[in-house]
Amino acid sequence: MNKSQVFAELRKRGIAKVVVGFSGGGDEGGCDGITLFNGEGVKIGVLEEEFNNEQYDPATKKWVRKELSGDAALSEALCKPVYDKYCTFAGEFHVHGEVVWDVDKGEAKMSGSESVSHDEEFEDDF
């Protein structure tokens, strides 16, 4: 599902805004929640992220991506900017933030806070 398809689906469902919270770093992380709002800013629901998007095909001995539809396809598309930027969250950093999908403006913006850990050498006499 591309960005214009996401906005079309949200309009069809009567959703004015979506907030996708995320956090992670140090080899783990992901979307923390997907909250749906109407035009008055009232929370009207949540979506759950589906993680089991592949299944093993014993005939081909390969993992095959399942075709997603409905809520699963929408939640995957809403979380996609997070995984496009942070992938597996591997690295010496920590991040938390949100992606806001504003249907009226046709905009999706990611914001948050990143911190990078670093080592400082020291030597002490005692």
Side-chain angles (χ1 to χ4, degrees), residues 12-69:
K12 184 173 99 178
R13 293 178 181 218
I15 299 167
K17 182 170 100 173
V18 178
V19 177
V20 180
F22 65 90
S23 63
D27 295 337
E28 60 182 58
C31 292
D32 298 327
I34 305 168
T35 308
L36 314 172
F37 298 90
N38 67 15
E40 288 77 46
V42 176
K43 177 181 170 182
I44 57 174
V46 295
L47 286 178
E48 296 296 323
E49 186 177 9
E50 184 174 315
F51 294 102
N52 190 14
N53 296 341
E54 294 184 342
Q55 60 189 23
Y56 185 72
D57 182 351
T60 63
K61 297 182 179 169
K62 294 182 180 180
W63 285 92
V64 179
R65 181 168 164 72
K66 293 189 307 187
E67 187 67 33
L68 299 178
S69 62

Side-chain angles (χ1 to χ4, degrees), residues 2 33 61 89 98 104 124:
N2 65 34
K61 297 182 179 169
F89 288 83
E98 63 185 22
D104 291 336
D124 292 332

Side-chain angles (χ1 to χ4, degrees), residues 49-115:
E49 186 177 9
E50 184 174 315
F51 294 102
N52 190 14
N53 296 341
E54 294 184 342
Q55 60 189 23
Y56 185 72
D57 182 351
T60 63
K61 297 182 179 169
K62 294 182 180 180
W63 285 92
V64 179
R65 181 168 164 72
K66 293 189 307 187
E67 187 67 33
L68 299 178
S69 62
D71 286 353
L74 181 58
S75 67
E76 180 180 73
L78 291 167
C79 289
K80 187 176 184 318
V82 174
Y83 296 115
D84 284 351
K85 182 169 176 85
Y86 296 106
C87 195
T88 62
F89 288 83
E92 299 302 318
F93 70 93
H94 292 280
V95 62
H96 67 276
E98 63 185 22
V99 178
V100 176
W101 295 79
D102 187 322
V103 177
D104 291 336
K105 293 180 182 177
E107 294 177 346
K109 295 190 181 215
M110 181 184 297
S111 62
S113 176
E114 293 180 5
S115 63

